[in-house]
Amino acid sequence: MIINTGGRTDTVQYYSEWLLDRFAQGYVLTRNPLFPNKVTRYELDPDTVDCVVFCSKNYQPMLPRLHEITDRFRTYFYYTITAYGKDVEPGVPSIEASMETLIRLSEQVGRQRVAWRYDPVLLTKDYTISRHLETFSRMAGTLAPHIDRCIFSFVEMYKKLETNMPELIPLTEEDKEVLARGLGSIAADHGIHLQTCGTNGDFSRYGIHPSGCMTLPILGKANGVVFRELKHKGMRQGCHCIESRDIGAYDTCLNGCRYCYANKSPQKAWDNRKYHDPASPLLLGDVKPGDVIQQGAQKSFLAKQQPEDPVLPGLFEEE
């Protein structure tokens, strides 16, 4: 099975002590967001977890102790760094600070385990197409030697976004074409494997690979193992990622990103902060009377036959 630490919240940035303690304790509990009295237990053991996937906008808080997990588990890291400032991402470090942290992360875990996410791509009067391309080019020049790939997506215009970002300018098909062509050209100039995420259309004519951010071939290549050939169900419509188990909780991320889908509101996340106990097996709160705890299924995706001489991390060729 694949453990995902950051799909519902930025666990690395705001709950790193809890995350490290859960791996030290060897198990974690997650509350079902639709049926709150249902709690699932997952064993955090290298024999039952095929890979631990991290997603964050700031790995700085965890870098000094990250080895406590990477020394024991196969891992892969998604690092989101966009063109936006505090007006859109209030809790996220500056571009310069984020790039410095990504480089340090890459040096620690190996570039083959680090993917840069440049998403979502959205337009306002300040964040124009030209600004995106200029910023992406500057970042690509710095990050190219330190990443396995770059993943981008165009913002999805869900209902809540109309309220949270009224200044948003809807992307036209022409806008997407111009952006994709420009991003693809920049990525090619820097030797970056660029791909889309989710339902973003086919831009292969610009050298952009189709979606599938978190696939078994990607995770296997990064860690020198072979996974079984399985159908990737995806995490949502149009997604081609392998199914994973997220150990976080909604309404807990303090980044305050205005395009966020995981928080009902920034205030809700801050209100929930008081329920977080670093010693609890749950990210938010603790086990309550009436909770039903069940053991989660943890089937391995690994192929039974592994290479006799697996490729050592850091020696992979670019796709």
Side-chain angles (χ1 to χ4, degrees):
M1 70 168 295
I2 309 298
I3 287 288
N4 189 326
T5 71
R8 296 173 179 173
T9 188
D10 198 332
T11 316
V12 169
Q13 179 165 197
Y14 296 107
Y15 306 100
S16 57
E17 181 182 350
W18 173 83
L19 187 61
L20 288 161
D21 187 60
R22 292 330 311 152
F23 277 92
Q25 295 294 328
Y27 78 99
V28 66
L29 300 182
T30 62
R31 192 175 295 281
N32 189 311
L34 299 179
F35 305 96
N37 68 315
K38 294 184 178 181
V39 177
T40 304
R41 172 176 171 136
Y42 296 110
E43 308 305 317
L44 299 180
D45 185 286
D47 292 333
T48 57
V49 174
D50 295 325
C51 188
V52 181
V53 172
F54 295 83
C55 305
S56 178
K57 295 180 179 178
N58 182 14
Y59 283 86
Q60 175 61 35
M62 205 165 178
L63 282 184
R65 297 181 57 194
L66 187 58
H67 67 91
E68 295 176 20
I69 297 176
T70 57
D71 286 350
R72 300 175 56 219
F73 291 84
R74 304 176 192 92
T75 52
Y76 199 84
F77 301 83
Y78 294 88
Y79 202 138
T80 300
I81 310 178
T82 67
Y84 313 120
K86 298 291 185 181
D87 55 329
V88 177
E89 300 175 336
V92 179
S94 68
I95 292 174
E96 289 70 23
S98 296
M99 290 195 296
E100 289 176 7
T101 302
L102 184 148
I103 292 170
R104 290 175 57 204
L105 172 68
S106 178
E107 290 172 347
Q108 185 170 329
V109 304
R111 65 171 292 190
Q112 78 282 351
R113 293 195 181 98
V114 180
W116 165 32
R117 294 191 66 100
Y118 187 85
D119 69 321
V121 176
L122 55 82
L123 298 181
T124 69
K125 66 179 181 63
D126 294 319
Y127 297 102
T128 61
I129 291 177
S130 60
R131 182 169 176 178
H132 272 293
L133 296 181
E134 290 168 6
T135 306
F136 184 80
S137 179
R138 175 166 61 89
M139 295 166 69
T142 299
L143 298 179
H146 307 283
I147 59 173
D148 172 54
R149 64 191 61 230
C150 178
I151 301 154
F152 82 97
S153 69
F154 295 120
V155 68
E156 295 186 20
M157 296 295 294
Y158 48 87
K159 191 69 176 178
K160 186 168 62 173
L161 200 56
E162 297 176 8
T163 301
N164 293 346
M165 291 196 72
E167 74 272 29
L168 203 65
I169 299 173
L171 282 159
T172 66
E173 291 304 311
E174 183 180 357
D175 291 334
K176 293 180 181 180
E177 285 291 323
V178 174
L179 280 161
R181 182 169 61 246
L183 295 174
S185 176
I186 293 166
D189 288 343
H190 293 282
I192 295 176
H193 177 107
L194 181 65
Q195 65 180 90
T196 55
C197 172
T199 55
N200 277 273
D202 180 5
F203 299 105
S204 56
R205 57 193 172 279
Y206 303 127
I208 298 172
H209 302 265
S211 63
C213 320
M214 188 174 70
T215 67
L216 291 179
I218 290 173
L219 302 182
K221 181 181 177 183
N223 290 280
V225 295
V226 176
F227 287 100
R228 289 182 285 135
E229 293 185 9
L230 298 173
K231 182 178 180 181
H232 289 52
K233 298 179 181 179
M235 307 305 290
R236 65 185 188 281
Q237 184 177 4
C239 175
H240 302 288
C241 294
I242 190 64
E243 187 178 3
S244 63
R245 295 292 178 262
D246 197 310
I247 61 176
Y250 292 115
D251 292 317
T252 60
C253 186
L254 305 180
N255 280 328
C257 300
R258 295 176 62 204
Y259 52 77
C260 179
Y261 66 89
N263 285 346
K264 293 178 181 177
S265 70
Q267 187 57 50
K268 179 69 172 177
W270 282 103
D271 290 343
N272 280 336
R273 178 73 172 181
K274 62 178 177 288
Y275 299 114
H276 173 67
D277 176 4
S280 171
L282 286 158
L283 178 66
L284 206 61
D286 212 325
V287 178
K288 303 176 182 178
D291 282 344
V292 178
I293 302 177
Q294 62 180 8
Q295 184 69 42
Q298 297 188 239
K299 295 182 179 179
S300 176
F301 297 148
L302 288 171
K304 291 183 178 179
Q305 186 69 33
Q306 293 293 320
E308 292 183 8
D309 298 304
V311 179
L312 294 175
L315 298 182
F316 299 103
E317 297 179 354
E318 293 293 328
E319 287 188 3

